[in-house]
Amino acid sequence: EAQVTQNPRYLITVTGKKLTVTCSQNMNHEYMSWYRQDPGLGLRQIYYSMNVEVTDKGDVPEGYKVSRKEKRNFPLILESPSPNQTSLYFCASHTVMGGPYNEQFFGPGTRLTVL
Amino acid sequence: QKEVEQDPGPLSVPEGAIVSLNCTYSNSAFQYFMWYRQYSRKGPELLMYTYSSGNKEDGRFTAQVDKSSKYISLFIRDSQPSDSATYLCAMRAYTGNQFYFGTGTSLTVIP
């Protein structure tokens, strides 16, 4: 089954404790992306990656890091989480082959609470 | 000013009603327009994808783009309780790799 998986699905942590949220896709997609979703603000893109070793900032990259060492994986790293990073996080992927009309597949989400 | 504006609702309609959902945007470079549906506790799923101006129909759903007004719409005919979800509009430019989303409109269809 074609899918994007994220782990963990729920995480409660404390300020300053480094954490990583993993994202993996099994569709051989080139493009992967991280979003956060907040009430009243909608989905905002944090980072995206066009392919292995190619990453770029989205709208709200501060406080986050990413890496793309393998095509299928795109982890999101919070080196020193703060309460304002409490949010619902989504990973997404799509292929760039064949033009721009490509569906972006989303993972199930990770609800992060930083105390 | 946000790149994409969307009325958050909530919107509540009786079953069988026609629903109209709308977004406005400020960036004239946006060429690709999408509507996503998000059920509670799930990730968004692509519903419709249109390019530039015009209409696109898919079953009970019709997407309209008016680039001159920087306005896009999603119409749902004969709405069903299973349509109850949050609907997000999204956009991207012809060049560039970022997606810009609206805040989402929460829709409830009452049986």
Side-chain angles (χ1 to χ4, degrees):
Chain A
E1 181 191 354
Q3 61 182 351
V4 178
T5 56
Q6 295 178 228
N7 282 293
R9 294 288 314 279
Y10 301 91
L11 179 60
I12 301 174
T13 189
V14 295
T15 299
K17 187 176 181 182
K18 181 179 178 180
L19 66 92
T20 299
V21 184
T22 64
C23 172
S24 183
Q25 49 95 3
N26 62 1
M27 296 166 280
N28 201 35
H29 287 166
E30 298 81 14
Y31 186 108
M32 297 186 74
S33 187
W34 275 104
Y35 295 87
R36 59 178 290 173
Q37 188 173 36
D38 302 287
L41 297 175
L43 270 170
R44 293 178 293 168
Q45 202 166 19
I46 302 171
Y47 269 97
Y48 60 93
S49 169
M50 293 297 291
N51 215 322
V52 175
E53 303 291 2
V54 181
T55 63
D56 208 347
K57 297 177 181 178
D59 273 344
V60 288
E62 295 78 21
Y64 304 95
K65 283 177 59 176
V66 293
S67 68
R68 187 94 181 271
K69 295 187 181 349
E70 303 169 284
K71 197 171 185 180
R72 63 183 293 125
N73 297 323
F74 190 44
L76 179 70
I77 303 156
L78 284 72
E79 295 267 3
S80 182
S82 62
N84 64 12
Q85 292 178 298
T86 292
S87 187
L88 179 58
Y89 291 87
F90 288 100
C91 180
S93 75
H94 70 83
T95 183
V96 299
M97 303 301 287
Y101 297 94
N102 294 308
E103 179 177 356
Q104 193 166 197
F105 291 85
F106 282 81
T110 295
R111 184 163 294 280
L112 172 66
T113 302
V114 183
L115 301 175
Chain B
Q1 184 187 7
K2 287 183 185 176
E3 298 266 15
V4 181
E5 299 274 2
Q6 184 175 7
D7 187 339
L11 196 56
S12 185
V13 300
E15 184 174 353
I18 297 174
V19 177
S20 172
L21 305 167
N22 311 294
C23 288
T24 59
Y25 62 95
S26 56
N27 189 341
S28 57
F30 289 151
Q31 295 277 359
Y32 302 102
F33 304 93
M34 294 141 274
W35 286 95
Y36 285 81
R37 179 173 59 196
Q38 185 177 18
Y39 290 114
S40 182
R41 302 181 190 279
K42 300 282 190 183
E45 297 173 304
L46 184 67
L47 202 55
M48 303 277 288
Y49 199 143
T50 56
Y51 170 69
S52 196
S53 286
N55 292 0
K56 184 175 182 180
E57 191 172 317
D58 184 1
R60 296 184 294 109
F61 298 89
T62 300
Q64 282 187 354
V65 175
D66 182 350
K67 290 195 70 185
S68 62
S69 301
K70 296 191 179 68
Y71 187 87
I72 70 170
S73 300
L74 178 71
F75 297 95
I76 307 174
R77 290 183 299 281
D78 187 25
S79 54
Q80 302 295 308
S82 59
D83 295 329
S84 298
T86 296
Y87 290 81
L88 302 129
C89 62
M91 312 179 184
R92 61 180 289 194
Y94 182 76
T95 56
N97 302 304
Q98 282 187 252
F99 290 80
Y100 296 88
F101 281 79
T103 52
T105 300
S106 175
L107 171 67
T108 301
V109 180
I110 302 166

